[in-house]
Amino acid sequence: MKVKISDIAKAADISTASVSRVLNHQGGYSQATAERITKIADEMGYFKNRSASDLASRSNNTIGIIYTDFETNFNDLIIRNTMLEAKQHHLDVILMIAQQNDPAGLTKIIRDMIERRVFALQFISTHPSPQMIEMLNRANVFPQVIGDATNHTVSSVSSDDYEIGYQATSYLINHGHQRIGFVSPSVTRDYVTRLRFSGYQRALDDHHLHFKADWLVEENYSYQAGLKAANHYQQTDIDAVIGVSDEVSWGLLNGFYDAGCKVPDQVALISVDGTQLCEQTRPQLSSVTQDFASMGKTAVRQLIDNRATPHQVTTLTVPFKIDARQTT
Amino acid sequence: MKVKISDIAKAADISTASVSRVLNHQGGYSQATAERITKIADEMGYFKNRSASDLASRSNNTIGIIYTDFETNFNDLIIRNTMLEAKQHHLDVILMIAQQNDPAGLTKIIRDMIERRVFALQFISTHPSPQMIEMLNRANVFPQVIGDATNHTVSSVSSDDYEIGYQATSYLINHGHQRIGFVSPSVTRDYVTRLRFSGYQRALDDHHLHFKADWLVEENYSYQAGLKAANHYQQTDIDAVIGVSDEVSWGLLNGFYDAGCKVPDQVALISVDGTQLCEQTRPQLSSVTQDFASMGKTAVRQLIDNRATPHQVTTLTVPFKIDARQTT
DNA sequence: GTGAAAGCGCTAACAT
DNA sequence: ATGTTAGCGCTTTCAC
C-alpha cells in the first residue's frame, strides 16, 4: 500500500541501493539517474519510513525536548531558539510536555524519548530526578537542563542565579529601599530559589540591612502566588519587592493595585525573567532580564560539542541584565 | 552495546519471541516466566527500540501535533487537553512547532511527521495549505485543525465563529453601545475573521446600526495590533470595541489606558478567547470564552473515531460562552 | 506455553 | 556508477 524504496527501484529498473543513495544525497551516481529517481519518487508519493531508516543506519539525529506547562512563560522563547539552532545543525527536534508534579508521567515521557533513541534530551523548566538521571545514563542519552539549575549531576545552561538575587537586591538598595520583600518558591526545596535567596541575603548583609522573616513569601512561580503575597505585604512595612518570575510580579502588581497600594510610589517592584510580559503591564515591570534565546542556542551547541564525550557534566552560564522600567 | 531483546533471551535462556510477548503484555506465557523476563530486562537496563518495534509491527499509535508560536496564548490549553485525552486512549503524542509565515518550514515539519508515520496530525493555530493537504492525503495521514477553521477540505474542531461575532456584537448593543469597533486580522484573507466579521455585520444590521469603515482595524492577533488600534480609535467616535483575541484586547486596554481613555466608561471592550489572561488585567477583560479544553479532547476522540474511515472530512463545533467581567 | 523463522523498509559494506 | 547482500531489532505467524 505505502510506496517503498523497492517500488521505486522496480519502477526505475535500478537497485534499491541506488535509490537510497540519491534520496539521501549521498553522491556516487550520475546526475541523470538522480533526476530520474527523484522524479519517480515524487510521482509515486514516496515518504521515507523513518523507523526503517533509523534502524538500518543506527543513526540518530533528533534531540528531544521535555518541558512542563509551568506557570512561567519563557518556555516558548527557549524552545523556539533551541529549534532554530537545531535546524542550523540539521537536527530534528521532538517535543513532549510533562505535567507538573507528576514524576510517574515524567518518567514515562523520558522512557518514550529513550525508546525513540533521541541522542540528547533537554529539560525546560523541569528537571530529572536522580533516578531519572540514572535511567538516562544507562540508556546512554545525554540530559541537559535549561534555565533551571539543580544540584543533581546534570549538565545545565542557565543564568547565574546567585548573582541574579544579589544584583536585584543591590539595585533596589541603591535606589534607596531598605525593607525588601522576596516572593519565591520554597527557599529550602527549590534549588534555584536557594541560590537567588542567598544572593539576596548577601546583598542585604553587604549593606548592613537586617532581614526580617515576614519579608519572605514562599509559594511558587505563579501569578496567584504574587496576588497572595501582595495581600500578605499589606501587614508589613515593606518598601520594595522582588518577584522571582514575571508571573509572580504581575500578580504582585495587580495585588497591590487591588489593595490601593501604589507601585512604585509606595512599593517598588522588580521582576525576574524579563519576558515580553514586563512591557505589557501598566506600569511596566522593571526586571532582571534573562537571555533565554541565548540559553536555547547555547544548549544546542553544547549538546553537539558533547556528543563525542558523552555524559560529561557541564554547567554553562549565560549573562543577564537589569532593565529599569516603571516599577522601580 | 545497547541491550536488545536477544540479549535478554540469551540471559533467560528463552526465545526472543517469548521475551517480546511478555514485554508487550500479550499473554500466552506463564506467570513465572513473565516475572523472570521482566526482572532480567530491568536489570540489564533494556529499552525497547521503537524504530524496530514500529517497523516490525507496522503499528502506529502516535499522533502528531503541529502548532505555531503564535501571538495567541491558548495553544497550551489545547495541547494539554489533547495530551490528556490521548493518554486516556494510550496514544503517544509528539509535538513540533512551526514558525509563523514559513510555508517551507511547515512543509518540512509535516514531512517529518509523515516519515515518523504518525497516524494523525493535528494543527493548532495554523493550518495546512491545499498542497499540504494533498501531501497528507497521499501519505494517508489524517489531518485535523483545531481552533482555526478553514475553507479547505480538512476536518476541524472549533467554535462557531460566525456566532461568536454575532453574539459579541449583540451583547455590546444590548448594553447600549452603538458604534462598535472590530480589531482583527484581514477580513478578506483570514477565514476565521471572515466568519466573525460576518456575524458582527449581521448583528449590526439586525439592530439597524450602520457600519462605518473606520470602525474596523485589520492587523493580526497580537498585543501590538491592539495597541495600534487603540491609537487609531482616538480619532473616531467608537464607544465599544471587539478585540478578536485576548492579546489584541490586552493591547487595546493598555492603548486606551496610555491615551487616558477610560475603559469601560468611555469605551467598552470585549475580548475573544477568554483565557486566564482576562482575569489578570486591570480592569479584567470581559470575553467571549472559547472552550479550548473541550476542543482538545473532542479532537482526539474524533481522530480515534475516524481512524477506521480515513479522510472523511468532519467539522465539529464546540460551545462558547460570554463572561462579563469589568470592561463591559 | 514456547520456539523457529520470516520479514518490516531501509542502509551500508563490499563487489563489480 | 550501480548492484548484491547482509543485517538493524523487533514482531508475528505457524509449528510444536
Side-chain angles (χ1 to χ4, degrees), chain B residues 153-173:
Chain B
T153 42
V154 216
S155 291
S156 66
V157 6
S158 61
S159 302
D160 181 336
D161 286 296
Y162 172 87
E163 208 46 44
I164 284 182
Y166 190 88
Q167 298 287 343
T169 311
S170 300
Y171 180 86
L172 256 15
I173 296 172

Side-chain angles (χ1 to χ4, degrees), chain B residues 12-28:
Chain B
D13 194 30
I14 203 174
S15 74
T16 59
S18 290
V19 176
S20 173
R21 280 189 280 253
V22 345
L23 258 27
N24 292 301
H25 312 288
Q26 309 213 119

Side-chain angles (χ1 to χ4, degrees), chain B residues 254-284:
Chain B
N254 285 351
F256 285 133
Y257 174 90
D258 294 345
C261 171
K262 297 265 183 271
V263 175
D265 302 341
Q266 295 172 256
V267 243
L269 182 52
I270 190 164
S271 181
V272 176
D273 279 354
T275 61
Q276 280 207 338
L277 175 48
C278 293
E279 291 174 348
Q280 301 182 181
T281 58
R282 292 296 179 273
Q284 300 186 354

Side-chain angles (χ1 to χ4, degrees), chain B residues 33 86 160 162 187 250:
Chain B
T33 47
D160 181 336
Y162 172 87
V187 163
W250 193 13

Side-chain angles (χ1 to χ4, degrees), chain B residues 116-127:
Chain B
R116 287 174 198 274
R117 296 292 188 268
V118 298
F119 84 85
L121 198 46
Q122 282 190 183
F123 293 84
I124 301 178
S125 48
T126 184
H127 55 254

Side-chain angles (χ1 to χ4, degrees), chain A residues 50-202:
Chain A
R50 264 290 238 282
S51 294
S53 164
D54 285 355
L55 183 57
S57 63
R58 269 136 279 174
S59 90
N60 210 329
N61 67 321
T62 121
I63 99 174
I65 300 185
I66 296 180
Y67 67 100
T68 57
D69 49 357
F70 208 45
E71 299 102 343
T72 52
N73 59 332
F74 56 72
N75 285 345
D76 282 357
L77 218 45
I78 299 183
I79 294 173
R80 194 178 324 144
N81 283 281
T82 299
M83 299 192 70
L84 246 36
E85 189 68 20
K87 201 193 281 182
Q88 301 267 314
H89 297 272
H90 305 287
L91 296 171
D92 287 326
V93 174
I94 73 185
L95 303 175
M96 296 189 155
I97 306 186
Q99 310 290 313
Q100 273 186 72
N101 303 321
D102 176 12
L106 219 204
T107 304
K108 187 186 171 312
I109 289 177
I110 295 177
R111 249 207 130 70
D112 195 336
M113 288 289 197
I114 293 175
E115 292 182 353
R116 288 175 197 274
R117 295 293 187 265
V118 299
F119 85 85
L121 198 46
Q122 283 189 183
F123 292 84
I124 301 179
S125 48
T126 183
H127 55 255
S129 67
Q131 296 97 299
M132 296 173 191
I133 295 174
E134 160 67 10
M135 178 163 113
L136 286 162
N137 281 334
R138 298 188 69 173
N140 205 44
V141 351
F142 190 75
Q144 188 187 49
V145 172
I146 306 187
D148 177 29
T150 49
N151 49 356
H152 307 152
T153 43
V154 216
S155 290
S156 66
V157 6
S158 62
S159 303
D160 181 337
D161 286 295
Y162 172 87
E163 210 42 48
I164 284 182
Y166 190 87
Q167 299 286 344
T169 312
S170 300
Y171 180 87
L172 255 15
I173 295 173
N174 293 335
H175 283 68
H177 300 284
Q178 311 244 19
R179 301 176 300 282
I180 301 173
F182 191 92
V183 185
S184 66
S186 162
V187 163
T188 46
R189 283 195 302 275
D190 189 272
Y191 185 74
V192 171
T193 299
R194 188 146 76 236
L195 295 176
R196 292 176 180 174
F197 190 66
S198 302
Y200 161 86
Q201 284 184 305
R202 182 54 190 266

Side-chain angles (χ1 to χ4, degrees), chain A residues 4-5 17 20 24 46 52 56-57:
Chain A
K4 46 198 163 190
I5 238 179
S20 173
N24 292 300
Y46 171 76
S57 63

Side-chain angles (χ1 to χ4, degrees), chain B residues 77-136:
Chain B
L77 218 46
I78 299 183
I79 294 173
R80 193 176 326 142
N81 283 282
T82 299
M83 299 192 72
L84 247 35
E85 190 67 18
K87 199 193 282 182
Q88 301 267 314
H89 297 271
H90 306 288
L91 296 170
D92 287 326
V93 173
I94 74 184
L95 303 175
M96 296 191 164
I97 305 185
Q99 309 291 314
Q100 272 186 72
N101 302 320
D102 177 12
L106 220 203
T107 304
K108 189 189 170 306
I109 290 176
I110 294 177
R111 249 208 131 67
D112 194 337
M113 287 289 198
I114 293 175
E115 293 182 354
R116 287 174 198 274
R117 296 292 188 268
V118 298
F119 84 85
L121 198 46
Q122 282 190 183
F123 293 84
I124 301 178
S125 48
T126 184
H127 55 254
S129 68
Q131 296 98 300
M132 296 172 192
I133 295 173
E134 160 67 9
M135 178 163 112
L136 286 162

